[in-house]
Structures are given as C-alpha cells and as structure tokens.
Amino acid sequence: MPAMRKGDVICEECGAGFRRIELGSRRGMPAEFRCPLCNHLLEKHDGSTEVAYRLTVAPEKIFE
C-alpha cells in the first residue's frame, strides 16, 4: 500500500463532502466515520491504517 492515499467522500444523506487521507505507514483504531452534520454512516475501518477526514463541502441546506 502507498504511504499516503487521498480521496473524497460524499455523504449520500446530506451532500456534505470530505477530504479523506489514509496513511498506510500508521496503524489506526477500528472505528466508523459518521457525517458530523447528519450522523449518516460513511465508512467503517478495521484499524489497519490511520484515516483522517476534513469537511470540504458543506451541504446547501446549511445556508438556507
């Protein structure tokens, strides 16, 4: 696995967008990532790598 992989994740429920960074060189903890805006489950992790998320696109309904 590459040392670092970047990608994007979109919440199917509210449309929020997140930048996803996965570090293959570090172990993480088994966990799940839920959208902090609507609590929709986006991904589950087994802890084999470290994964971090950053909100990059807020859903339109926040601005209404």
Side-chain angles (χ1 to χ4, degrees):
M1 169 175 271
M4 182 170 62
R5 291 180 12 192
K6 295 179 186 178
D8 296 303
V9 177
I10 304 293
C11 178
E12 296 174 6
E13 203 63 35
C14 73
F18 301 88
R19 171 61 86 175
R20 179 186 191 277
I21 298 176
E22 183 174 357
L23 298 174
S25 60
R26 292 183 57 167
R27 292 193 57 82
M29 298 290 291
E32 56 184 36
F33 176 66
R34 292 186 173 272
C35 177
L37 303 173
C38 73
N39 203 39
H40 181 73
L41 178 63
L42 298 175
E43 292 187 334
K44 289 186 178 184
H45 307 287
D46 64 5
S48 61
T49 59
E50 181 81 27
V51 181
Y53 299 88
R54 182 184 68 191
L55 179 67
T56 55
V57 179
E60 289 182 19
K61 63 184 171 185
I62 287 179
F63 300 110
E64 291 178 354

